[in-house]
Amino acid sequence: MIGNLDHSILQQLWWLITSVVGSLFLFLTFVQGGQTLIFTTASTEEEKSLIINTMGRKWELTFTTLVLFGGALFAAFPLFYATSFGGAYWVWMLILFTFIVQAVSYEFRKKPDNVLGARTYEIFMCINGSVGLILIGAAVGTFFTGSRFSLNLYNSVTWATPYHGLEAALNPFNLALGLFLMFLARILGAMYIVNHVDHENLVKRARKATWINLLWALPFLLTVLIGFVTMDGFAVDPATGVVSMEKGKYLTNLLEMPVVLLLLLGGLGSVIYGVAATGFLGKNSGIWFGGIGTVLVGLAIFSLAGYNNTAFYPSITDLQSSLTIYNASSSKYTLTVMSYVALAVPFVLAYVAYVWKLMNAKKLDIAELTGEDANEMY
Amino acid sequence: MAGARHFAATTHKEDIVEDQLLTTVDWARAQFALTAMYHWIFVPLTLGLSFLIAFFESIYVKTGNEEWKKLTKFWMTLFGINFAIGVATGIILEFQFGTNWSNYSWMVGDIFGAPLAIEGIFAFFIEATFFAVMFFGWHRVSKGFHLFSTWMVAIGSNLSAVWILVANGWMQFPIGMNFNPDTARFEMQNFWEVALSPVAVHKFTHTTSSAFLLAALFVVGISALFLLQERHQKMAKRSMVVAAVFGFIASIFVAFTGDEAAFSVAQRQPMKLAAMEGLYVGQEKAPIIAMGIINSSKKPGDDLPAFYQEVKIPGLLSLLANRDPNSFVPGINDLVFGNAERNIIGAEQRMVTGKIALAELARYKYAKDTGDDGESAAALAIFDQHKGDLGYGYLNNPAEAAPPVATTFYSFHIMVVLGTLFPVIFLLVLYFAYKGTLEYQRWLNLACFFSIFLGYVAQQAGWVVAEVGRQPWAIQGLLPVGMASTNIAASNVQTTFFMFLTLFTALLIAEIRIIMKQIKIGPEA
């Protein structure tokens, strides 16, 4: 059945699947956002522990989604994997370092004899939630601003700068996207605390943190949105595959793909409603509006970059080396196999949701942190 | 590095200096080895301990005895500390394929990426989802669902091993694919051949059973320490009995799967087998070297003796390799220079074929690029006749086809000797447990404790055999490591190597200290 689909349909389908995984990762970065709130929203050790323990029960899901995002890109778009990771070397390495230190921080922070001290592990978490996300945003930003690389006839990448991707973080658009993602994660983190923690003072401050971080996010969001509607983009001739610069390409994409425009506006609206509901209306369910909104915004960003005859990983050094979802993808056979595998994703989502519901049925409070299972707490 | 790389370099805007490339490869290899070896300190314990914890909790649920719950939670605490750093090193391995081995990622990503993605979908999410229940769900879910979650963590962990070992198995024995000259990469033709490759099956069964063995040694060893210290004796003896049964069964399985894996190596990677035994000249009734000191000056084709001293068991290598003690086993010289009498084509001859394939591939790509259809068709026809030896075309010297013999030989023998020792330890533990005198066997408890470290040595040695024995290939016979790396200045990879070394070492020290402290605190905490 899937084998009868055209290669180009499978390539578009797999861009959608990887976009969904990437967007779910953006939602789950509420964990990273929460990690940065321990220095701004928690005022006591007790509150800090509540934040870390509530995020600590979900950190692995975020981490796993990132790993799956990488695996899906490798399987479906290996040329992107080879070009971006091998070329923008330092950006990805630094992102990875922030995730290594995050992975151990939850488990090690409170354990006696942890060598580096609890404070160091808290700083690691904060670095992951700030530097890690800014760099991820900068990397995604290059989908629109381009990178300095070229490919030879064997698709072997050569990076044109000795900074190997770090230059991306200095581009104002990329940096704005990174900072927006960081503040968005902080908004989501605060919403999740409100939803899942039973502690009056902390919840009160988390509610306030949602709209304060929204205010911080706004200038960066506006920079990104203005960039989308004004910047030139990397268009692909569907007949020849030739890449050329096109004025207002991403605005054209928004107008020619109204669904994407709706995803973007609906997503942003949903996040803003989530903030209003949490920050001003006293509701606890803001995280769901924020989360769904984030997924929709993520889908819009990835769609803008990859669909409508657009090069999703453009080269500004050699336009014809730019990657599209067609020239960067796996073979039809591999995408067909992977599509059958992807049929398991709804099942995975179902059991993740079921366990999430079970584990979140009761809010986290101080009594649980100091009770019978205190030794297991982060 | 003639052929494609040379041709490729002419199309780059900046030329890549040959020496620099080699250095980059060296650092990339060092970094991958470092990460993989650190990763494999933590992962085998996760794979095996997860099942032991599931056994302990099952006994608790069945008996309702709170002491078993306390015991379960103690081992779970150690599991959690170890698990986190395993995850941290694991993500690096996945992304390192892209950062340090980008040519590899493109050339085989069509095949290699799929198992990694499947691993994420089918295994990692099970682990991640149920891990939180296992640690924080004692009072949030029912007792039955908690036990179910613990089992799911064990199953999920081991499922992840399936897919990464399928990927590794494919690197050792590439099947189910074809080379596409238009995209300049290998593309998957048959998923089931990749997923059910006999090498992958042997890798999975041998690797996971050895991980179970290590976890059993860990539990037995730590419990033995408690007995030596006369602390938590009841809990320690209970843990030891369960772990020793598990470990003994695993040991038997390790021996069986190890034999199957060696047979598989003999059939599909004869050069690796020759290096494992330091066999330079092929022979009938080939012996296994029970013990030996390798002559480090020995090179393929020279007349020096392979060993300074050795103890041989005649015919055993032939039996292991071909299931026939009288059969012929090829040596390194046969595989490097060929052996017409035995109909073995050596690397020397395959290099000639491989270089023709590379030259024709370059001619084909150039002709396609310039729109010369006649030239491209002619080049493709010749390429197709010679592409089977494509990888050999990248070699400069036929002796490069042989892996480092001493490292492979010693690692293999250390692994085998230790693998033979461990079931004896488990049997002794079970015997004295049956007699009720376990706590009085000070010598045995000391041996059990030190066996933890020997277990790790055996684990690392096993992977050294598998990976060093595969050299010079990233993909056996098709892609040497020198062609697989990223085009990047060596200083970048060198810098990240030392960053990883510093970070991993600091985290390892922290982990060991935390675990030691938890052991000191014991299950009463």
Side-chain angles (χ1 to χ4, degrees), chain A residues 181-194:
Chain A
L181 289 187
M182 185 193 78
F183 284 111
L184 177 62
R186 281 170 63 83
I187 293 167
L188 295 170
M191 287 173 172
Y192 187 74
I193 291 169
V194 170

Side-chain angles (χ1 to χ4, degrees), chain A residues 222-237:
Chain A
L222 286 174
T223 307
V224 171
L225 291 178
I226 290 168
F228 281 151
V229 296
T230 58
M231 69 167 62
D232 296 345
F234 300 82
V236 186
D237 184 324

Side-chain angles (χ1 to χ4, degrees), chain B residues 90-166:
Chain B
I91 194 173
I92 300 303
L93 279 180
E94 177 185 353
F95 285 98
Q96 228 171 66
F97 287 115
T99 54
N100 290 351
W101 303 98
S102 73
N103 289 330
Y104 170 94
S105 291
W106 168 243
M107 287 187 77
V108 302
D110 193 68
I111 307 143
F112 193 82
L116 295 191
I118 296 170
E119 184 186 24
I121 294 172
F122 284 110
F124 287 157
F125 272 99
I126 295 177
E127 267 182 296
T129 306
F130 292 100
F131 181 87
V133 183
M134 183 175 163
F135 278 84
F136 308 109
W138 289 103
H139 298 291
R140 287 180 176 265
V141 299
S142 67
K143 204 188 260 189
F145 192 81
H146 191 278
L147 177 63
F148 171 76
S149 300
T150 305
W151 275 100
M152 290 309 287
V153 169
I155 291 166
S157 306
N158 283 272
L159 273 179
S160 71
V162 171
W163 292 104
I164 194 65
L165 292 170
V166 163

Side-chain angles (χ1 to χ4, degrees), chain A residues 134-158:
Chain A
I134 290 170
L135 290 177
I136 286 175
V140 174
T142 61
F143 285 17
F144 301 95
T145 56
S147 302
R148 297 183 180 279
F149 68 88
S150 60
L151 299 175
N152 67 11
L153 289 178
Y154 294 80
N155 284 324
S156 179
V157 62
T158 299

Side-chain angles (χ1 to χ4, degrees), chain B residues 474-498:
Chain B
I475 305 295
Q476 181 72 37
L478 297 177
L479 185 68
V481 287
M483 288 303 300
S485 66
T486 302
N487 301 330
I488 191 169
S491 56
N492 294 285
V493 189
Q494 186 183 5
T495 306
T496 50
F497 171 85
F498 284 110

